[in-house]
């Protein structure tokens, strides 16, 4: 389920360049599951980078695929998604607002287990139903990593 009909403000697609920025940190030997479908372009992007990817318009809460999850989840559903991710206990890289670090539920779920890739410039998005490409939100977003085994807990790129 892509959530595209739930809330229009969740329909932001991460630009291809933003995924290429972290390519070196994505494990090459793992099958990637990108569960948040939106427009389906993640398949092309990750195949172009040489990764094995599962990306279908299916319900994230009803499925468990791949060996690692990498995606830009609908921001309005962060809490439910993070609870499900903790339940799955599967490695992930998620794009989410930096302010998530201050949420009590996030701290309780992932304290001492999260690593973060912090981009030098704000991550840009495209909206599914707009020509407003390369949209930069008024807040910073980071790549939140769980069980990725990065060389450091904070990586600035």
């Amino acid at each position: 389920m892509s959530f595209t009909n739930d809330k229009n403000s969740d329909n932001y697609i991460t630009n291809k360049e933003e995924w290429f920025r972290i390519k070196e940190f994505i494990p090459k030997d793992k099958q990637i599951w990108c569960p948040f479908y939106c427009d389906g372009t993640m398949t092309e992007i990750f195949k172009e980078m040489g990764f094995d990817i599962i990306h279908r318009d299916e319900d994230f809460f009803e499925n468990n695929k791949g060996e690692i999850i990498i995606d830009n989840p609908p921001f309005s559903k962060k809490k439910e998604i993070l609870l499900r991710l903790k339940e799955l206990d599967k490695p992930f890289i998620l794009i989410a607002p930096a302010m998530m670090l201050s949420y009590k539920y996030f701290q309780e779920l992932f304290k001492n287990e999260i690593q973060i890739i912090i981009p030098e410039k704000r991550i840009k998005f495209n909206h599914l139903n707009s020509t407003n490409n390369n949209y930069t939100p008024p807040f910073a977003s980071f790549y939140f990593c769980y069980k990725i085994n990065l060389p450091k807990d904070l990586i600035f790129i």
Side-chain angles (χ1 to χ4, degrees):
M1 181 163 81
S2 64
F3 303 108
T4 55
N5 296 322
D6 288 358
K7 191 169 183 181
N8 194 45
S9 63
D10 280 336
N11 294 326
Y12 282 90
I13 304 144
T14 307
N15 285 351
K16 174 180 169 177
E17 295 77 25
E18 305 298 348
W19 293 118
F20 272 84
R21 282 165 84 172
I22 65 161
K23 179 181 176 183
E24 68 183 279
F25 302 108
I26 300 171
K28 302 262 185 250
D29 61 338
K30 305 283 185 205
Q31 185 180 49
I32 298 169
W33 180 32
C34 298
F36 308 108
Y37 195 73
C38 204
D39 71 346
T41 57
M42 293 285 286
T43 301
E44 298 168 23
I45 293 168
F46 277 77
K47 283 190 176 186
E48 183 179 334
M49 289 192 292
F51 295 106
D52 181 17
I53 179 173
I54 300 168
H55 186 54
R56 299 182 188 115
D57 194 4
E58 300 174 320
D59 191 331
F60 167 70
F61 298 102
E62 301 281 326
N63 289 281
N64 181 4
K65 300 188 177 181
E67 300 168 88
I68 181 173
I69 296 170
I70 301 177
D71 216 327
N72 169 12
F75 287 1
S76 75
K77 303 201 183 305
K78 287 187 306 288
K79 185 174 183 178
E80 300 94 298
I81 290 166
L82 289 166
L83 287 167
R84 172 77 171 138
L85 287 170
K86 188 65 174 184
E87 176 187 308
L88 294 173
D89 197 35
K90 187 177 292 198
F92 66 74
I93 299 174
L94 290 186
I95 293 177
M99 66 190 95
M100 191 166 74
L101 285 169
S102 65
Y103 297 163
K104 186 175 179 174
Y105 72 83
F106 179 77
Q107 293 172 9
E108 289 172 354
L109 286 171
F110 296 105
K111 187 175 185 177
N112 300 322
E113 297 180 300
I114 208 77
Q115 295 180 303
I116 302 171
I117 301 171
I118 302 171
E120 179 182 40
K121 297 179 182 176
R122 288 188 182 169
I123 296 174
K124 294 184 179 184
F125 304 92
N126 296 327
H127 192 274
L128 180 65
N129 302 315
S130 172
T131 57
N132 184 11
N133 293 334
N134 291 314
Y135 168 72
T136 305
F139 53 84
S141 295
F142 297 158
Y143 302 89
F144 288 84
C145 306
Y146 175 72
K147 293 190 172 185
I148 300 298
N149 299 318
L150 298 173
K152 300 188 308 185
D153 289 340
L154 291 177
I155 295 181
F156 295 87
I157 57 171

